[in-house]
Amino acid sequence: MTLSNRLILFCILAAPSMVHAQSNFQKLLPPTTAAVVQIHEPGEIVQQLLTHPVVETAYEAGLYDAALQDAQWAQIETLQTKVQEITGLPWEEALTKATSGGVHLAFDPPTDGVVVAIRGEEEVLNQFFEAVMSILEPIALLSGNPVKKGEYRDGIIGYQIQDIRFAKKEDTLVITNSRDLGRFVLDQLIDPATHPSFSSNEVYQEAISESKPTDHSAWLWIDAKLLEQFQTVDNFEQAMRSNMLLELLVGGISSQLAHTRYVTAAVDFNHQHLQLAVTTGYRDKWVSNSRRYFFGEASQAGSPDLLLPPDTIASISLFRDFSPWWLLAPDLYNSDVNESIAQADTTLSTFFSGKDFGTDILGSLEPGAQLVVTDTHFAPDAPKPEIVFPSFAIVGHLQDAETMQPELRRMFINFTGFLNVVSAMEGNPQLDIDLVDTKNSRMITTSFIPPQPGQPISIQYNFTPTILFEGEKIILSSNRHLAEQLVEENPTSSKRGKRGWKTNTHFTLLARPLAVILRKNREILITNNMLDNGNARAEAEQEIDLILKGIEWVKSLDIKMEHSDKQLNLSFDLQFLEQDKVESP
């Protein structure tokens, strides 16, 4: 471990401690500051993290031993022992008091400098610093880079090891890789009026007017000019030009990143959840014509509420106008993708009886769609394959149901016939067709002809492809049971939050049903692990069971994209189960 890495390790060890946001931290920074991280009460976060069941599971599995070498563990233990000897306090308490006044990080592009400011109880911080130096000084001397010391001003002693500089003034420890940035911060500590500071930065003030740093465990602010410097938006655009799915899911973010003045990220963590929310500025006028499909006219459209039938593994609901998304491909994608789209258009036109896929088929749908994935249920007398696939269904609404329903029914039947021809040529089972009419719906469902006694049950028997119409609603499902469930299912409210915010995309993953279907396929997962990684069966079982155990500690993952008239928010919420509620599926 290099000296620079040891100093970084010290910063990491110091950061996770009880801190209180410092209102005057901005006064210590130059006006050119482009990124700020503020941590609020991380001591509680670390206690929650170290005692979290997922972390304890990783420790039991030996992942910590794989991440750090024995020598590195020994250095950490030596530092802990030394701190306890000098302060007379338990390690955790000493660390908490040494950093009780705040931990903040900032980046200043003109100096290419990063600064960490740590404040705490002065006596304990001095003792903590003494303990760290007692370990670093002999290591630096042996490496040929002895610690350099010198007085700056006002009695402040500065230290330097390689490129890392640090100094203390009363209850504040400053660590930086830039001499100029370090001097600026020290000058401001001596007299906050020495230089113009970051505290009056208008872009920063705009960001904190909507999102308060002290409301979160950790909070990050980035000036959008920094994104330009690293060509973040250009790289994001290039990635989407070669990936249709990426464009469909997050393409609307790009136009906002190209115009926003800032990006913020807020993190909250405890035993119950881990939440991350990324926020940018938002204006409807920033939405380009090629991405109007993403937000709708005047950005007034929202996604439908989620569908969550029994045993849901995942559900996504999103507002997208699919016809212009497909038709505007030349503006959105590179030549390779557009060539593939042109080929797909020709094939799809054949399947849809000569109709144009973008104009006639996607154009017949109302904007917005839902995708639902559930565990698969088999009828008592149905063939059950060894490998169980999840069931999935797409739900949409037709603009002109009276005209399009007969067209789509015929297309579905024709497509089933085509699949039967192909299956017969390859010796695979055939699909039988059944038409089911009720008072309010019409369903065309298919099922594979049962195998003869003694014949293997192939994976095709996971599927009973079905199309169902109810009024304007259309359901295209891999499984009849799921289609029938979705006809009866009432949408679940998205809890849209603050007034005036529109939910554009909402995704939910439920861990328990996922663990159930993975356990149904445990044997095939173990076999694949043995083949792919060359593990013995015992090792493969241990790895697969560890993955399943980790999944069982999770309750759900919820991802939302929302916007108001002024901000766009992308949030991730990972919910954990309480320890006494975890049990094998």
Side-chain angles (χ1 to χ4, degrees):
M1 180 183 285
T2 66
L3 289 175
S4 296
N5 286 339
R6 290 188 177 95
L7 289 170
I8 292 171
L9 175 62
F10 166 70
C11 296
I12 294 172
L13 291 172
S17 317
M18 184 70 71
V19 298
H20 303 283
Q22 296 296 311
S23 59
N24 64 350
F25 174 67
Q26 294 82 8
K27 295 182 180 179
L28 302 182
L29 303 175
T32 51
T33 299
V36 172
V37 176
Q38 302 187 46
I39 305 172
H40 182 64
E41 297 186 352
E44 177 64 22
I45 298 173
V46 168
Q47 290 303 315
Q48 294 276 351
L49 179 64
L50 294 179
T51 59
H52 198 283
V54 174
V55 176
E56 291 178 345
T57 300
Y59 181 79
E60 292 172 4
L63 297 183
Y64 288 175
D65 296 333
L68 291 176
Q69 299 175 359
D70 291 342
Q72 294 170 336
W73 272 117
Q75 291 170 356
I76 293 174
E77 291 172 353
T78 300
L79 175 60
Q80 292 175 339
T81 301
K82 182 64 69 173
V83 168
Q84 289 177 168
E85 288 177 357
I86 294 178
T87 63
L89 299 170
W91 159 256
E92 295 84 356
E93 183 179 352
L95 191 57
T96 295
K97 290 185 176 182
T99 60
S100 60
V103 175
H104 300 263
L105 299 88
F107 171 63
D108 177 52
T111 60
D112 199 24
V114 176
V115 62
V116 179
I118 303 173
R119 286 178 169 173
E121 296 183 17
E122 185 173 354
E123 181 180 357
V124 179
L125 183 58
N126 285 337
Q127 293 170 334
F128 199 102
F129 184 66
E130 179 185 347
V132 172
M133 291 305 300
S134 68
I135 294 173
L136 287 181
E137 283 188 312
I139 296 175
L141 185 62
L142 288 173
S143 68
N145 295 283
V147 177
K148 300 176 183 178
K149 302 179 183 179
E151 183 173 346
Y152 177 55
R153 51 175 291 215
D154 201 39
I156 296 177
I157 303 299
Y159 302 81
Q160 181 178 348
I161 302 179
Q162 294 182 346
D163 296 329
I164 306 299
R165 297 169 169 82
F166 40 101
K168 265 193 80 283
K169 177 173 172 54
E170 298 173 349
D171 62 350
T172 302
L173 173 64
V174 178
I175 306 170
T176 183
N177 65 338
S178 167
R179 182 188 65 176
D180 292 339
L181 180 59
R183 287 180 173 180
F184 185 101
V185 174
L186 294 176
D187 288 343
Q188 295 297 99
L189 279 171
I190 295 169
D191 180 4
T194 304
H195 306 290
S197 74
F198 176 67
S199 59
S200 60
N201 185 292
E202 293 182 2
V203 179
Y204 179 79
Q205 294 300 325
E206 178 185 345
I208 64 174
S209 68
E210 297 288 340
S211 178
K212 306 296 182 184
T214 54
D215 290 344
H216 305 285
S217 303
W219 191 82
L220 163 71
W221 169 88
I222 299 176
D223 191 311
K225 293 178 181 177
L226 192 61
L227 301 181
E228 295 178 10
Q229 180 179 338
F230 290 99
Q231 299 181 322
T232 304
V233 178
D234 290 342
N235 293 334
F236 189 36
E237 283 281 0
Q238 289 301 316
M240 289 187 296
R241 287 187 63 80
S242 60
N243 190 316
M244 292 186 71
L245 181 60
L246 185 64
E247 166 66 40
L248 184 66
L249 292 177
V250 296
I253 297 176
S254 181
S255 57
Q256 305 305 314
L257 285 176
H259 292 87
T260 187
R261 300 172 69 188
Y262 65 87
V263 176
T264 68
V267 178
D268 294 283
F269 175 77
N270 55 38
H271 268 201
Q272 284 71 50
H273 67 244
L274 171 62
Q275 295 176 329
L276 167 65
V278 180
T279 302
T280 74
Y282 181 88
R283 301 291 187 276
D284 179 71
K285 65 182 181 181
W286 295 347
V287 180
S288 63
N289 290 333
S290 61
R291 290 203 170 97
R292 183 55 64 183
Y293 80 91
F294 203 94
F295 295 105
E297 292 302 321
S299 297
Q300 292 303 307
S303 62
D305 288 336
L306 283 178
L307 291 168
L308 295 172
D311 299 317
T312 293
I313 296 173
S315 181
I316 184 170
S317 175
L318 68 171
F319 174 88
R320 300 292 186 273
D321 196 346
F322 292 99
S323 181
W325 165 68
W326 186 268
L327 296 174
L328 290 171
D331 296 333
L332 294 172
Y333 305 113
N334 60 30
S335 58
D336 291 339
V337 174
N338 277 294
E339 183 177 346
S340 299
I341 291 174
Q343 294 173 355
D345 254 332
T346 302
T347 304
L348 290 168
S349 178
T350 302
F351 285 145
F352 290 110
S353 305
K355 292 186 177 295
D356 183 81
F357 181 68
T359 303
D360 299 323
I361 304 302
L362 294 181
S364 69
L365 298 172
E366 293 284 353
Q370 293 153 292
L371 172 65
V372 182
V373 181
T374 69
D375 191 5
T376 296
H377 297 274
F378 298 93
D381 58 345
K384 298 179 180 64
E386 292 185 5
I387 302 174
V388 180
F389 285 180
S391 298
F392 55 89
I394 299 172
V395 182
H397 290 80
L398 298 171
Q399 293 188 13
D400 183 1
E402 186 175 350
T403 301
M404 287 304 300
Q405 279 190 18
E407 293 276 0
L408 293 172
R409 286 199 300 267
R410 287 192 295 270
M411 293 175 188
F412 183 81
I413 293 172
N414 292 340
F415 185 64
T416 302
F418 172 79
L419 289 180
N420 278 337
V421 171
V422 174
S423 295
M425 294 172 63
E426 297 179 355
N428 292 324
Q430 303 285 288
L431 283 165
D432 198 5
I433 298 178
D434 190 17
L435 278 70
V436 181
D437 286 336
T438 68
K439 182 178 179 180
N440 299 316
S441 67
R442 167 164 284 191
M443 176 172 66
I444 304 174
T445 185
T446 63
S447 58
F448 287 98
I449 298 173
Q452 297 296 319
Q455 286 186 336
I457 301 174
S458 63
I459 60 174
Q460 284 95 327
Y461 288 96
N462 280 282
F463 307 109
T464 53
T466 300
I467 190 167
L468 189 150
F469 302 94
E470 184 191 37
E472 296 178 348
K473 182 186 292 185
I474 176 174
I475 301 171
L476 184 62
S477 176
S478 69
N479 184 283
R480 173 176 177 171
H481 177 74
L482 177 56
E484 292 174 331
Q485 281 186 312
L486 291 173
V487 170
E488 302 171 359
E489 181 70 15
N490 293 318
T492 301
S493 172
S494 299
K495 298 181 181 179
R496 296 179 183 272
K498 295 182 288 186
R499 181 179 300 175
W501 284 71
K502 294 286 185 182
T503 301
N504 175 272
T505 305
H506 189 180
F507 169 80
T508 289
L509 175 69
L510 301 175
R512 184 169 181 79
L514 174 62
V516 168
I517 200 163
L518 289 176
R519 284 199 175 276
K520 290 180 180 179
N521 295 287
R522 180 176 178 271
E523 281 302 315
I524 191 64
L525 294 174
I526 291 172
T527 301
N528 287 340
N529 183 283
M530 294 169 64
L531 294 174
D532 294 342
N533 302 327
N535 289 332
R537 180 173 178 85
E539 294 174 318
E541 287 180 341
Q542 183 179 13
E543 287 188 11
I544 296 302
D545 289 339
L546 178 62
I547 292 172
L548 293 173
K549 185 177 180 180
I551 292 174
E552 288 165 14
W553 282 115
V554 176
K555 180 179 180 181
S556 63
L557 171 65
D558 206 58
I559 302 175
K560 274 188 179 182
M561 187 187 302
E562 304 171 289
H563 70 84
S564 66
D565 292 339
K566 293 184 177 180
Q567 288 192 317
L568 177 70
N569 183 267
L570 180 62
S571 62
F572 303 80
D573 185 0
L574 184 63
Q575 296 281 338
F576 301 104
L577 282 178
E578 297 177 20
Q579 186 167 355
D580 59 354
K581 294 183 179 179
V582 176
E583 56 181 278
S584 297

